[in-house]
Amino acid sequence: EIVLTQSPGTLSLSPGERATLSCRASQSVSSTYLAWYQQKPGQAPRLLIYGASSRATGIPDRFSGSGSGTDFTLTISRLEPEDFAVYYCQQYGSSPLFTFGQGTKLEIK
Amino acid sequence: EVQLVQSGAEVKKPGESLKISCQGSGYSFTTYWIGWVRQMPGKGLEWMAIIYPGDSDTRYSPSFQGQVTISADKSISTAYLQWSSLKASDTAMYYCVRHTNVYFDYWGQGTLVTVSS
């Protein structure tokens, strides 16, 4: 089973700052199979990034994804108030087919 | 517009059975896998199971195999998740998701299941 470890657990930043969230896999993951989701309080998660670096439909270009192998990064270039949420990475692979990281909470400083 | 609309919140007692639903619209229901993701209170996301409505092929997470059953009725574009005997530890929000082979591109609004005596 591939385990995804996200860091930090909580990130405290101010609007306008740059956010860098990390997702590390216990084994190599194809970039094709790595996605990121955003979840705001009381809402369902929504897809942000797929294929490690492709933005989903309607996602602003301040969100970007990068990485390969075991290390992946979600970057938010300039934080807007609506970006403060929990972010999850997810991989597709062998059993179980899908695993999620434990999440990074991005909070307002 | 793709939509996944889930059934409403449920309050059940331990040992009771339950079946929750998710109706898809705005796309060809039989040509996308559809699945379920659990989120326990204050916790992260856990993938449970997926089904291909076109032929009812199913896949389960080992953690949920034997604990739940996923099914679909393609005539009404609806997927289901059912329990035969609920436990208090099944208390959670359950999300229906459309799967594109690699990731989940659409999510339902969630169904809160509360199991309490």
Side-chain angles (χ1 to χ4, degrees), chain A residues 41-67:
Chain A
Q43 296 185 18
R46 70 162 174 166
L47 178 68
L48 288 178
I49 301 286
Y50 63 93
S53 61
S54 298
R55 278 187 300 278
T57 304
I59 301 303
D61 60 7
R62 64 180 181 273
F63 290 91
S64 63
S66 63

Tab-separated table of all heavy atoms in Angstrom, chain A residues 41-67:
chain	number	residue	atom	x	y	z
A	41	PRO	N	-14.829	24.202	4.969
A	41	PRO	CA	-15.701	23.703	6.039
A	41	PRO	C	-17.146	23.546	5.573
A	41	PRO	O	-17.711	24.441	4.933
A	41	PRO	CB	-15.581	24.785	7.113
A	41	PRO	CG	-14.241	25.397	6.883
A	41	PRO	CD	-14.053	25.378	5.395
A	42	GLY	N	-17.728	22.390	5.883
A	42	GLY	CA	-19.117	22.138	5.547
A	42	GLY	C	-19.380	21.852	4.090
A	42	GLY	O	-20.547	21.763	3.676
A	43	GLN	N	-18.322	21.704	3.292
A	43	GLN	CA	-18.491	21.447	1.860
A	43	GLN	C	-17.821	20.144	1.464
A	43	GLN	O	-16.926	19.638	2.149
A	43	GLN	CB	-17.893	22.588	1.035
A	43	GLN	CG	-18.570	23.924	1.216
A	43	GLN	CD	-18.004	24.975	0.279
A	43	GLN	OE1	-17.345	24.670	-0.718
A	43	GLN	NE2	-18.283	26.246	0.588
A	44	ALA	N	-18.263	19.629	0.324
A	44	ALA	CA	-17.588	18.479	-0.253
A	44	ALA	C	-16.248	18.924	-0.833
A	44	ALA	O	-16.078	20.090	-1.224
A	44	ALA	CB	-18.447	17.880	-1.362
A	45	PRO	N	-15.287	18.024	-0.880
A	45	PRO	CA	-14.026	18.350	-1.556
A	45	PRO	C	-14.276	18.662	-3.031
A	45	PRO	O	-15.289	18.262	-3.602
A	45	PRO	CB	-13.208	17.060	-1.413
A	45	PRO	CG	-13.790	16.366	-0.234
A	45	PRO	CD	-15.265	16.685	-0.294
A	46	ARG	N	-13.337	19.406	-3.636
A	46	ARG	CA	-13.395	19.622	-5.077
A	46	ARG	C	-12.006	19.403	-5.668
A	46	ARG	O	-10.994	19.670	-5.023
A	46	ARG	CB	-13.919	21.004	-5.435
A	46	ARG	CG	-12.987	22.167	-5.117
A	46	ARG	CD	-13.401	23.409	-5.888
A	46	ARG	NE	-12.608	24.575	-5.487
A	46	ARG	CZ	-12.562	25.705	-6.161
A	46	ARG	NH1	-13.279	25.861	-7.279
A	46	ARG	NH2	-11.829	26.713	-5.739
A	47	LEU	N	-12.000	18.901	-6.873
A	47	LEU	CA	-10.753	18.624	-7.571
A	47	LEU	C	-10.065	19.926	-7.968
A	47	LEU	O	-10.680	20.805	-8.565
A	47	LEU	CB	-11.042	17.789	-8.818
A	47	LEU	CG	-9.849	17.438	-9.703
A	47	LEU	CD1	-8.896	16.478	-8.988
A	47	LEU	CD2	-10.336	16.825	-11.020
A	48	LEU	N	-8.780	20.041	-7.605
A	48	LEU	CA	-7.976	21.202	-7.990
A	48	LEU	C	-7.022	20.866	-9.129
A	48	LEU	O	-6.953	21.562	-10.134
A	48	LEU	CB	-7.134	21.680	-6.809
A	48	LEU	CG	-7.771	22.379	-5.634
A	48	LEU	CD1	-6.687	22.686	-4.604
A	48	LEU	CD2	-8.495	23.631	-6.072
A	49	ILE	N	-6.233	19.830	-8.901
A	49	ILE	CA	-5.118	19.469	-9.778
A	49	ILE	C	-5.184	17.974	-10.051
A	49	ILE	O	-5.431	17.180	-9.141
A	49	ILE	CB	-3.761	19.783	-9.106
A	49	ILE	CG1	-3.626	21.259	-8.761
A	49	ILE	CG2	-2.597	19.292	-9.971
A	49	ILE	CD1	-3.375	22.171	-9.932
A	50	TYR	N	-4.955	17.592	-11.308
A	50	TYR	CA	-4.833	16.181	-11.654
A	50	TYR	C	-3.584	15.993	-12.507
A	50	TYR	O	-3.045	16.970	-13.046
A	50	TYR	CB	-6.078	15.668	-12.385
A	50	TYR	CG	-6.336	16.349	-13.719
A	50	TYR	CD1	-5.844	15.806	-14.903
A	50	TYR	CD2	-7.063	17.534	-13.778
A	50	TYR	CE1	-6.068	16.421	-16.114
A	50	TYR	CE2	-7.294	18.151	-14.991
A	50	TYR	CZ	-6.799	17.594	-16.161
A	50	TYR	OH	-7.017	18.213	-17.368
A	51	GLY	N	-3.131	14.766	-12.594
A	51	GLY	CA	-1.894	14.524	-13.335
A	51	GLY	C	-0.736	15.316	-12.781
A	51	GLY	O	0.169	15.727	-13.518
A	52	ALA	N	-0.771	15.575	-11.476
A	52	ALA	CA	0.269	16.303	-10.717
A	52	ALA	C	0.348	17.794	-11.023
A	52	ALA	O	0.734	18.580	-10.154
A	52	ALA	CB	1.645	15.677	-10.924
A	53	SER	N	-0.012	18.217	-12.250
A	53	SER	CA	0.207	19.616	-12.610
A	53	SER	C	-0.874	20.254	-13.467
A	53	SER	O	-0.745	21.431	-13.816
A	53	SER	CB	1.553	19.752	-13.337
A	53	SER	OG	1.546	18.995	-14.523
A	54	SER	N	-1.906	19.518	-13.805
A	54	SER	CA	-2.977	20.070	-14.647
A	54	SER	C	-4.110	20.601	-13.785
A	54	SER	O	-4.620	19.889	-12.929
A	54	SER	CB	-3.515	18.998	-15.600
A	54	SER	OG	-2.510	18.546	-16.471
A	55	ARG	N	-4.485	21.851	-14.023
A	55	ARG	CA	-5.590	22.424	-13.261
A	55	ARG	C	-6.926	21.894	-13.761
A	55	ARG	O	-7.155	21.790	-14.977
A	55	ARG	CB	-5.579	23.948	-13.344
A	55	ARG	CG	-4.610	24.622	-12.382
A	55	ARG	CD	-4.788	26.124	-12.424
A	55	ARG	NE	-4.530	26.662	-13.752
A	55	ARG	CZ	-3.318	26.926	-14.213
A	55	ARG	NH1	-2.261	26.712	-13.449
A	55	ARG	NH2	-3.161	27.421	-15.426
A	56	ALA	N	-7.810	21.603	-12.816
A	56	ALA	CA	-9.162	21.188	-13.185
A	56	ALA	C	-9.936	22.388	-13.721
A	56	ALA	O	-9.524	23.545	-13.554
A	56	ALA	CB	-9.870	20.583	-11.976
A	57	THR	N	-11.054	22.108	-14.350
A	57	THR	CA	-11.872	23.156	-14.937
A	57	THR	C	-12.274	24.201	-13.905
A	57	THR	O	-12.760	23.861	-12.820
A	57	THR	CB	-13.143	22.543	-15.556
A	57	THR	OG1	-12.766	21.547	-16.505
A	57	THR	CG2	-13.990	23.603	-16.240
A	58	GLY	N	-12.049	25.467	-14.229
A	58	GLY	CA	-12.477	26.557	-13.367
A	58	GLY	C	-11.544	26.899	-12.225
A	58	GLY	O	-11.838	27.805	-11.438
A	59	ILE	N	-10.429	26.199	-12.123
A	59	ILE	CA	-9.479	26.469	-11.034
A	59	ILE	C	-8.560	27.630	-11.433
A	59	ILE	O	-7.940	27.583	-12.504
A	59	ILE	CB	-8.659	25.209	-10.703
A	59	ILE	CG1	-9.593	24.066	-10.291
A	59	ILE	CG2	-7.645	25.516	-9.605
A	59	ILE	CD1	-10.502	24.363	-9.122
A	60	PRO	N	-8.450	28.646	-10.577
A	60	PRO	CA	-7.626	29.821	-10.909
A	60	PRO	C	-6.154	29.452	-11.101
A	60	PRO	O	-5.658	28.498	-10.493
A	60	PRO	CB	-7.796	30.736	-9.688
A	60	PRO	CG	-9.014	30.249	-8.991
A	60	PRO	CD	-9.124	28.803	-9.280
A	61	ASP	N	-5.467	30.259	-11.906
A	61	ASP	CA	-4.081	29.923	-12.219
A	61	ASP	C	-3.108	30.237	-11.096
A	61	ASP	O	-1.903	29.975	-11.230
A	61	ASP	CB	-3.631	30.565	-13.535
A	61	ASP	CG	-3.707	32.077	-13.503
A	61	ASP	OD1	-3.980	32.648	-12.421
A	61	ASP	OD2	-3.513	32.700	-14.564
A	62	ARG	N	-3.606	30.763	-9.974
A	62	ARG	CA	-2.711	30.912	-8.811
A	62	ARG	C	-2.408	29.557	-8.164
A	62	ARG	O	-1.500	29.430	-7.366
A	62	ARG	CB	-3.289	31.880	-7.765
A	62	ARG	CG	-4.575	31.439	-7.125
A	62	ARG	CD	-5.038	32.482	-6.100
A	62	ARG	NE	-6.279	32.090	-5.437
A	62	ARG	CZ	-7.488	32.355	-5.914
A	62	ARG	NH1	-7.615	33.009	-7.068
A	62	ARG	NH2	-8.578	31.972	-5.252
A	63	PHE	N	-3.194	28.537	-8.534
A	63	PHE	CA	-2.950	27.182	-8.048
A	63	PHE	C	-2.075	26.452	-9.078
A	63	PHE	O	-2.390	26.428	-10.274
A	63	PHE	CB	-4.258	26.400	-7.887
A	63	PHE	CG	-5.116	26.864	-6.757
A	63	PHE	CD1	-6.083	27.839	-6.955
A	63	PHE	CD2	-4.968	26.333	-5.487
A	63	PHE	CE1	-6.882	28.284	-5.912
A	63	PHE	CE2	-5.762	26.756	-4.434
A	63	PHE	CZ	-6.719	27.739	-4.643
A	64	SER	N	-1.006	25.841	-8.587
A	64	SER	CA	-0.178	25.044	-9.483
A	64	SER	C	0.343	23.821	-8.746
A	64	SER	O	0.518	23.834	-7.524
A	64	SER	CB	0.994	25.869	-10.029
A	64	SER	OG	1.849	26.270	-8.983
A	65	GLY	N	0.555	22.753	-9.508
A	65	GLY	CA	1.086	21.528	-8.944
A	65	GLY	C	2.360	21.129	-9.661
A	65	GLY	O	2.541	21.429	-10.846
A	66	SER	N	3.223	20.458	-8.920
A	66	SER	CA	4.484	20.007	-9.510
A	66	SER	C	4.965	18.769	-8.766
A	66	SER	O	4.385	18.376	-7.747
A	66	SER	CB	5.539	21.117	-9.428
A	66	SER	OG	5.823	21.422	-8.072
A	67	GLY	N	6.029	18.195	-9.301
A	67	GLY	CA	6.642	17.065	-8.628
A	67	GLY	C	6.643	15.804	-9.455
A	67	GLY	O	6.006	15.717	-10.512
